[in-house]
Amino acid sequence: MTAIHDLTRALQRNNTSKIVLFVADGLGGLPMAPGGKSELETAETPNLDALARRGSLGLSIPVLPGITPGSGPGHLGLFGYDPLEYQIGRGVLEALGIDFELGPDDVAIRGNFCTVDDDGRITDRRAGRIASDIGTRLCQKLDRIEIPEVEVFVRPVKEYRLVIVFRASGLGGNVNDTDPQKTGVTPHEPLGSDEDSQKTAEICKQFLSRAAEILRNEVPANLLTMRGIAKQPDIPTYREVYGLKAAAIAVYPMYRGLARLVGMDVLDAGATLDDQMNRLQAVWDDYDFFFVHFKYTDSTGEDGDFDAKVARIQDVDAVMPHITALNPDVLIVTGDHSTPSKMCSHSWHPVPVLLTADTCRYDNCESFGEAHCHRGGLGQFDAKYLMLLALAHAGRLEKFGA
Amino acid sequence: MTAIHDLTRALQRNNTSKIVLFVADGLGGLPMAPGGKSELETAETPNLDALARRGSLGLSIPVLPGITPGSGPGHLGLFGYDPLEYQIGRGVLEALGIDFELGPDDVAIRGNFCTVDDDGRITDRRAGRIASDIGTRLCQKLDRIEIPEVEVFVRPVKEYRLVIVFRASGLGGNVNDTDPQKTGVTPHEPLGSDEDSQKTAEICKQFLSRAAEILRNEVPANLLTMRGIAKQPDIPTYREVYGLKAAAIAVYPMYRGLARLVGMDVLDAGATLDDQMNRLQAVWDDYDFFFVHFKYTDSTGEDGDFDAKVARIQDVDAVMPHITALNPDVLIVTGDHSTPSKMCSHSWHPVPVLLTADTCRYDNCESFGEAHCHRGGLGQFDAKYLMLLALAHAGRLEKFGA
């Protein structure tokens, strides 16, 4: 969204306001049966309901109607970056997911340990789903591979999954997967589709050749394949496009990585919501914008556990007084997408949004839930516009034109 | 909307789901007096109301707010093709309207028989609105015109209107109208605005010269003019962009032609809704997607006959049990535009949409009508996104990004 950020760059106004974006991952839901209530509507949420009464509600569309986002596009949208414009390769997302601090020149690759026969044909694409400690040991061996003029990082993810990062200037990110997605064949050769990516492909070949020697006698993980070879998108920072000094208080690595991608300071906190709230309070004077991420509304939805998701929403409700005690100028509570327990997965359904600020237009909504959000004052809008609303309510945008 | 189809191509997921798109042409309406009910709200529609209670309602904007679409853009939008990107020339639409099977290389032209004086100046642009049987006889004569390396087809439409098709490779579609839109002047010379279209213009000249000889002694239709010289847009198929095997069950030629344009199989059925329902049932196992078109909600609206339109809407309601008995995964009932009886014409008003599926977010709407649609859960959205919603609710789209 060049247009959005052209506007925010041109209209930035600095002040001392504070904005809190609380993301309850996968917040939106569905009733289990026609006419029933969603998870959010079922939960007892007195604090959120009080906020709803003095704020504005709405529904956000993460990407386009009907399009279900992954966590990457879901969060980029909330952060004000058009998820169709800024696409994050799988290798990059995997690196973010293990808290690897990617640099702008890095090429990140998702690796899978696999098993090949004597002719080099893949017999198991996941090497029998080896235990994580075996994967870790193999990664430590591969991490020692040296390639001239390239820094090589090899890190375990889980079981047969690993991340490989090549750090060198002038590398491209447009290289095909070597994983052929089936057994009985040899892995594909890595090929770059432009000059810079051909350099990357050459490095991949050298790495794979050295890896084959190192893994030759391992059973069953005697080779690896590569997928999602990518550089991080060239994404402008919060500081530059919004003039905001932003902090992320997130527990899960992927969300920490996504925040880092847009230039937020990623702060450490304990694993509980209370820990996150303590951290928020401790750094309150140091930042303009706070992204707080809570994972368990999504994971309970993915488990299809309606009651557990309801309970996690109530956990979110319970910490709201910690935030309102800090008296933020703008407080937004929303999700990056819906994760209906009924579907056990992310979905495309528009996402509940609650925004409170002194400049809200009151919409007579009584509680925070999908039905109220549907008739809320913010209407139904593209998630990428949420940051414009946040900045506006924080008094951080000048008038456009005279 | 390249982006829409880039997404659907990348995210296609095949399954055995069935989608029905029932288009009641010109469905949307207006009350005849302030505070009254529209045609759809006046009609007794127990079956549609039952669907509304378990589905989601909304309003679609065919092109842009305030823009009244013809049938071509109206349907392309419903089919998921941005009507501003894919424009259909009048000659093509006229050919589709007589069930002429256009090929990708064909240039289609709308012809008007006219009357010219001895100096070649037009005295009547419609040749006294000659009877259709005269037009047909003249077309048969013109159909015998031979032009080297070009197949020529001349077909009557109605009264003074005809269709001319030139079939040859390498012809362009950018040629001006020869109809000067006024009397007392000679027709314009056809001129092509690019090299391929200059070839077309030359063929037009040869055809017009031969036609002048053939028609010389006819009264009053002693010449013809040409309008809307066009090739069909290069439009990707349903199969390619959505992975859907699609069937059209439509009676009127133009809608059959529009369906053929996007790669649907156009099935024959009798002329009544019951015939169409029988056909739907007969081919239920053979397709993934079914476009059913009903014309008379539009034609009664164009006649300004409010009561007749109400009756035709009740006809639509009456066949809903035939469709629901087939248990489609997604059933959409909507129109391609509004045709308020009060206006006796197509209009720009957003169009009622009813969508039922197991994954609907319930919106507490009690019946299918403009007012309920306005507060329905689908909100107000661009018609071009309807197919994304259909695919999503059918489980036919993978997640976007990780």
Side-chain angles (χ1 to χ4, degrees), chain B residues 102-257:
Chain B
L102 278 183
D105 287 337
D106 295 357
V107 171
I109 302 166
R110 153 130 180 218
N112 280 5
F113 287 113
C114 63
T115 315
V116 294
D117 65 18
D118 292 345
D119 297 327
R121 294 198 185 87
I122 295 175
T123 55
D124 186 333
R125 290 181 50 241
R126 298 184 185 82
R129 292 186 185 270
I130 50 171
S132 294
D133 59 339
I134 299 176
T136 300
R137 180 176 59 78
L138 297 178
C139 284
Q140 284 162 353
K141 287 192 176 189
L142 298 180
D143 193 44
R144 291 183 210 118
I145 291 177
E146 290 184 3
I147 297 175
E149 295 174 48
V150 182
E151 272 192 275
V152 175
F153 305 87
V154 180
R155 298 285 180 270
V157 177
K158 197 180 173 187
E159 300 174 349
Y160 61 94
R161 287 158 54 192
L162 65 152
V163 167
I164 305 139
V165 174
F166 298 138
R167 180 170 295 167
S169 62
L171 298 185
N174 299 311
V175 178
N176 61 286
D177 294 355
T178 73
D179 183 349
Q181 300 276 356
K182 58 184 174 187
T183 56
V185 297
T186 57
H188 298 311
E189 282 283 288
L191 295 169
S193 59
D194 54 59
E195 200 173 323
D196 286 349
S197 300
Q198 281 159 17
K199 285 164 65 180
T200 307
E202 274 311 310
I203 294 167
C204 291
K205 283 184 206 169
Q206 290 180 49
F207 179 88
L208 287 167
S209 162
R210 289 283 296 116
E213 293 166 24
I214 292 170
L215 299 173
R216 182 180 302 149
N217 296 318
E218 297 290 338
V219 176
N222 61 354
L223 200 64
L224 76 153
T225 58
M226 291 176 160
R227 297 172 64 182
I229 300 171
K231 297 181 76 167
Q232 60 186 17
D234 185 15
I235 200 162
T237 66
Y238 253 49
R239 173 78 80 168
E240 195 245 322
V241 297
Y242 304 133
L244 291 174
K245 191 176 179 207
I249 305 178
V251 177
Y252 272 61
M254 182 180 297
Y255 311 97
R256 297 164 63 86

Side-chain angles (χ1 to χ4, degrees), chain A residues 88-96 102 108-110 163 227-230:
Chain A
I88 306 177
R90 173 155 286 274
V92 170
L93 212 64
E94 204 80 5
L96 299 180
L102 278 182
I109 302 166
R110 152 127 180 221
V163 167
R227 296 172 65 182
I229 299 170

Side-chain angles (χ1 to χ4, degrees), chain B residues 343-365:
Chain B
M343 296 174 67
C344 303
S345 68
H346 292 199
S347 81
W348 63 90
H349 298 87
V351 185
V353 180
L354 186 168
L355 186 154
T356 62
D358 277 350
T359 42
C360 277
R361 187 173 271 171
Y362 305 100
D363 53 13
N364 298 308
C365 288

Side-chain angles (χ1 to χ4, degrees), chain A residues 336-370:
Chain A
D336 55 336
H337 52 76
S338 295
T339 305
S341 307
K342 182 180 181 177
M343 296 176 68
C344 303
S345 67
H346 293 197
S347 82
W348 64 90
H349 298 88
V351 186
V353 180
L354 185 169
L355 186 153
T356 61
D358 277 350
T359 41
C360 276
R361 184 172 276 172
Y362 303 102
D363 53 12
N364 298 311
C365 288
E366 295 286 319
S367 71
F368 189 34
E370 284 81 355

